[in-house]
Amino acid sequence: MSSYLSSKYAALEAYVPGEQPRDKAYIKLNTNESPYPPAPGVMDVLSREAVSDLRLYSDPTCQACRAAIARRYGVDVENVFVSNGSDESLAFLFMGFTENGAAFADITYGFYQVFADLYGVDCRVLPLNEDFTLPYEDFLTAKGTLFIANPNAPTGLTISLSQIENLLAADPDRLVVIDEAYVDFGGESAACLVGKYPNIAVVQTFSKSRSLAGARLGFTIASREIIAGMDKLKYATNPYNVNRLTLLAGQAAMEDETYFDTTRQAVIDAREWTKAALSERGFTLTDSKTNFLFAKSDRIDGGKLYAMLKDRGILVRHFTSARICQYNRITVGTMEDMKALVAKIDEILAWEDKA
Ligand SMILES: *Cc1c(COP(=O)(O)O)cnc(C)c1O
């Protein structure tokens, strides 16, 4: 590492994205992208004219895109902040809304720990229960800003809106951030609580259920005051944080409710089919409400299954931390992808049983 890099970053452990290998064509079930293209309206707005307009800066207020989000969630434009991926929303929340520290689960989105380290936030890491459910009582009394992925990743498990309400009511001085990256696949959004509680921020992304991972667009819904604070940090960091094409794409994606419902339902159906197929084969799976499954089998080691699937052209995500190293996180693709996955798993298990 360069000796010019500030020493305070020397030991920082950054986020490691899921692998994107180029050595051959894989069925990619490792980074929770959508298997479907963006809504047709997205293709239409990305015209030659729109590309030509790239010579101009993007709208720093992101007005039209925020308005589309606000309409969809029944809030005011002033309740919406848009960001370069939801990761950027989370970065600003860690940067500027953690005066009393932060608390999050031991098994959750890996970026929380990275942001806490990057911004020097004092954090409490609360271990999930044995069955991977949230240690709700611990969160009720935890100090500092709570960061909760709901549904959680990589477990796929949810907490209920009434549990979230209790967390909000337990301490009005404490901000609760609900990361809803996967909520559209079967969870219940807490966006409806924003009018009722001043201490909630709901973070969502266009990367999963709206097929725009490569466009980098996310948003936060919260009180006007919280959004104004996030805006301050944005104008102190990167005023044109979302590019013109992404703003157009995001607005079009948000406005096509029919396509959104069709594709998310297709993912849910393929998830339930795959879950049944893997259970029949003796896998243990969590009750995932997301676009991925979290699965392990007593018949094969988690790391070995990951490697054997990769050899056979299917990429899934394997985590090495002790509590979850027997599991793989498998993104739900098309039915065709999932049938290919199950066929390869049958092949691998037959091989294992012989060995
Ligand atoms: C994918 C994901 C995000 C961030 O996605 P962006 O592409 O930055 O919008 C945030 N939180 C969780 C839990 C995720 O899985």
Side-chain angles (χ1 to χ4, degrees), residues 152-217:
N152 196 15
T155 63
L157 300 181
T158 56
I159 56 170
S160 69
L161 281 194
S162 66
Q163 284 180 307
I164 293 174
E165 283 209 60
N166 290 340
L167 292 172
L168 293 165
D171 181 358
D173 293 332
R174 177 183 69 177
L175 179 63
V176 178
V177 176
I178 306 292
D179 178 351
E180 296 187 344
Y182 301 104
V183 76
D184 296 325
F185 301 105
E188 233 185 319
S189 177
C192 59
L193 301 177
V194 165
K196 196 169 166 193
Y197 296 91
N199 57 330
I200 182 171
V202 175
V203 177
Q204 285 201 18
T205 179
F206 283 70
S207 295
K208 279 94 187 203
S209 57
R210 294 187 189 268
S211 306
L212 285 172
R216 310 307 304 127
L217 186 63

Side-chain angles (χ1 to χ4, degrees), residues 283 295-309 316-319 324-329:
F283 277 80
K296 71 168 177 179
S297 167
D298 292 338
R299 293 164 67 188
I300 185 166
D301 172 76
K304 188 168 186 193
L305 177 60
Y306 156 81
M308 289 180 83
L309 280 170
V316 300
R317 183 99 190 239
H318 179 250
F319 299 90
I324 55 173
C325 65
Q326 283 312 315
Y327 283 82
N328 280 288
R329 192 194 68 188

Side-chain angles (χ1 to χ4, degrees), residues 15 31-32 83-90 108-112 148-153 179-182 203-208 212-214 216-219 291-292 329:
Y15 182 71
T31 48
N32 298 340
S83 54
N84 193 311
S86 57
D87 289 336
E88 192 186 41
S89 277
L90 293 166
T108 189
Y109 188 37
F111 230 136
Y112 302 160
I148 298 175
N150 189 42
N152 196 15
D179 178 351
E180 296 187 344
Y182 301 104
V203 177
Q204 285 201 18
T205 179
F206 283 70
S207 295
K208 279 94 187 203
L212 285 172
R216 310 307 304 127
L217 186 63
F219 59 96
N291 66 340
F292 58 80
R329 192 194 68 188

Side-chain angles (χ1 to χ4, degrees), residues 39-212:
V42 172
M43 318 292 177
D44 297 337
V45 294
L46 301 181
S47 61
R48 294 187 73 88
E49 194 191 345
V51 174
S52 164
D53 283 346
L54 284 177
R55 70 188 181 80
L56 302 170
Y57 280 111
S58 57
D59 171 13
T61 70
C62 306
Q63 198 67 19
C65 183
R66 286 165 69 204
I69 296 167
R71 272 193 301 278
R72 167 74 167 53
Y73 289 94
V75 295
D76 294 332
V77 176
E78 291 74 21
N79 296 118
V80 180
F81 176 81
V82 299
S83 54
N84 193 311
S86 57
D87 289 336
E88 192 186 41
S89 277
L90 293 166
F92 287 141
L93 289 162
F94 269 97
M95 183 196 294
F97 293 83
T98 51
E99 188 96 307
N100 300 313
F104 45 84
D106 64 338
I107 296 169
T108 189
Y109 188 37
F111 230 136
Y112 302 160
Q113 186 66 60
V114 176
F115 285 138
D117 293 344
L118 177 64
Y119 297 117
V121 177
D122 172 30
C123 60
R124 283 157 280 275
V125 176
L126 307 176
L128 293 185
N129 299 322
E130 200 55 39
D131 61 359
F132 297 141
T133 54
L134 203 76
Y136 178 63
E137 301 294 325
D138 297 344
F139 274 89
L140 262 183
T141 54
K143 293 270 176 277
T145 305
L146 307 184
F147 286 84
I148 298 175
N150 189 42
N152 196 15
T155 63
L157 300 181
T158 56
I159 56 170
S160 69
L161 281 194
S162 66
Q163 284 180 307
I164 293 174
E165 283 209 60
N166 290 340
L167 292 172
L168 293 165
D171 181 358
D173 293 332
R174 177 183 69 177
L175 179 63
V176 178
V177 176
I178 306 292
D179 178 351
E180 296 187 344
Y182 301 104
V183 76
D184 296 325
F185 301 105
E188 233 185 319
S189 177
C192 59
L193 301 177
V194 165
K196 196 169 166 193
Y197 296 91
N199 57 330
I200 182 171
V202 175
V203 177
Q204 285 201 18
T205 179
F206 283 70
S207 295
K208 279 94 187 203
S209 57
R210 294 187 189 268
S211 306
L212 285 172

